[in-house]
Amino acid sequence: MTETRQDRSRLARAWWAALFAVVAVSVSIEFVQNVVDPADPATSIVTRIVRFFSYFTIQSNLLVLAAVLPLVRDPGHDGPLWRVVRLASLLGITITGLVYAVVLAPLYDPQGIDAWTNAGEHYVSPVMTLLGWLVFGPRPRITAGVVARALVWPILWIAWILAQGPVTDWYPYDFMSVAVHGYGTALRNLAFVVLLALAFLLAFRLVDRKLSATDGALPAQAERSSLAR
């Protein structure tokens, strides 16, 4: 039994380490391409940095990095803030992968290094994050309070985009552009996004409660930590 736990723990660590490496390299390369060596050098570097980190895709992948790094050390990791970050990363990267695959992929044909970074952020990251959560957990971790706090991030993201949009006349995605659609349509689209996010969060909580707990399959240290909570 102990050997099985250790084998599962090693596999989980390797999985999370591989995911972290792929996402870190993909985001770093895109950062260099868009900020350090951009196609639009006339735009100030401060503006390029702000816009880079305003994309939902980038924020989702950064949340994945923050959520999985502790799992590389301890696959049974837990903590109140980490739970929120983990759930927010699951939400963001799932939406990122689905929207890209269904809406954007047919319109976008990246070449060269862009094809690799695009695959890392939109395919590898969503699939490995979701599959790793289903296989390795750790579970249970999602409560109603965690769901409520995880919803704060997409709401704050929407508020930021709407606040800076009228000043900069820049929106990361067309569906939320007030300049193009007006406030009525843009707010309706964003309300749908919030409802979709809540539906995903509730679905994640349901799965977290229905699937078997994973802490018992992890090392003794993680088991003691789980029992102490």
Side-chain angles (χ1 to χ4, degrees):
M1 179 67 72
T2 301
E3 185 176 354
T4 301
R5 290 197 193 105
Q6 291 175 345
D7 290 342
R8 183 179 179 85
S9 180
R10 281 194 292 266
L11 182 58
R13 288 190 179 97
W15 182 276
W16 299 127
L19 173 58
F20 185 90
V22 169
V23 175
V25 170
S26 298
V27 173
S28 297
I29 291 175
E30 187 168 353
F31 179 83
V32 171
Q33 288 181 308
N34 286 272
V35 176
V36 180
D37 186 23
D40 56 339
T43 305
S44 73
I45 188 169
V46 173
T47 298
R48 296 198 297 267
I49 291 174
V50 171
R51 289 182 178 179
F52 179 82
F53 289 109
S54 294
Y55 280 101
F56 189 86
T57 294
I58 298 301
Q59 292 192 14
S60 297
N61 277 281
L62 291 177
L63 285 170
V64 168
L65 290 178
V68 303
L69 183 58
L71 297 176
V72 176
R73 181 184 61 83
D74 176 16
H77 181 77
D78 198 4
L81 178 59
W82 178 83
R83 288 187 178 200
V84 176
V85 172
R86 181 72 191 288
L87 183 55
S89 72
L90 281 169
L91 169 68
I93 208 63
T94 299
I95 293 177
T96 293
L98 286 175
V99 170
Y100 185 82
V102 174
V103 179
L104 300 178
L107 308 174
Y108 186 44
D109 183 26
Q111 302 295 323
I113 192 66
D114 289 339
W116 290 97
T117 59
N118 180 71
E121 294 172 357
H122 294 102
Y123 293 116
V124 177
S125 183
V127 171
M128 287 192 68
T129 299
L130 188 58
L131 185 58
W133 172 66
L134 291 172
V135 175
F136 301 115
R139 287 186 301 273
R141 294 293 187 272
I142 304 174
T143 64
V146 173
V147 168
R149 288 188 287 273
L151 189 61
V152 171
W153 164 60
I155 292 176
L156 288 178
W157 175 75
I158 288 172
W160 158 247
I161 297 302
L162 290 180
Q164 64 83 46
V167 177
T168 64
D169 197 28
W170 178 85
Y171 297 85
Y173 307 103
D174 177 78
F175 75 92
M176 63 193 312
S177 174
V178 174
V180 173
H181 303 290
Y183 275 102
T185 300
L187 291 175
R188 182 195 63 195
N189 293 340
L190 292 170
F192 174 77
V193 170
V194 173
L195 291 176
L196 180 65
L198 180 59
F200 271 116
L201 290 172
L202 293 175
F204 286 135
R205 186 191 181 209
L206 179 63
V207 173
D208 183 70
R209 297 174 66 185
K210 293 296 184 181
L211 292 182
S212 59
T214 58
D215 287 330
L218 296 171
Q221 181 180 358
E223 291 184 64
R224 290 196 297 270
S225 175
S226 177
L227 291 173
R229 288 190 295 274

